[in-house]
Amino acid sequence: MVSEHSDAADGDTAALALKILVAGGFGVGKTTLVGAVSEIRPLRTEELLSEAGQLVDDTGGVDQKVTTTVAMDFGRITIRSGLSLYLFGTPGQDRFWFLWDELSQGALGAVVLADTRRLEDCFPAVDYFEHRRIPFVVAVNCFTGARSYGSQDVSKALDLDRGTPVVLCDARDRDSGKEVLIRLVEYAGRMHTARLLDSVG
């Protein structure tokens, strides 16, 4: 979850690097979000959609999509001096979910991207993180032309645990994505602190 390293050149005695997952349904904008906020050239494992894949992947509502992530996306963003986030975008299709257990090892928390036109697509990600007690926020990617819903409506529709944050965002916009990540770090920090206090209480 946390790694520390010394960097004498920058004058920092210890820097924190936190692992964050970016999850959600097929075509919801995970690769776009990682690419928008990453300060390094993001690693992408995208392949062209094939006719064979169309038999198993639900492309309804994302007809314009021509590529898909087959392993993960990776990026890095510095939130402030001494605090960096390493972002791991998960593949969205059911057939790649075996990778999630590996990717989630050591994660501080997760962003679950949601599209209100296909809200049911993020149910598996919500269930995954709830069952493993990994703190997460739901970030509603506001697609052009999609009907807008308030955070309370989305929370109710997803039957989220009380207190789970729901934020609206534009996955293409760096500042919007950064705000989502800051909200997650703050929320996950509170959750982990509360659990630590419970364990020693």
Side-chain angles (χ1 to χ4, degrees), residues 73-93:
D73 299 309
F74 174 78
R76 185 190 72 208
I77 179 174
T78 301
I79 296 296
R80 60 173 170 73
S81 178
L83 175 59
S84 296
L85 304 182
Y86 290 98
L87 308 176
F88 292 81
T90 64
Q93 303 98 307

Side-chain angles (χ1 to χ4, degrees), residues 45-50 66-70:
T45 58
E46 289 196 306
E47 295 292 339
L48 289 172
L49 290 172
S50 65
V66 295
T67 61
T68 185
T69 299
V70 295

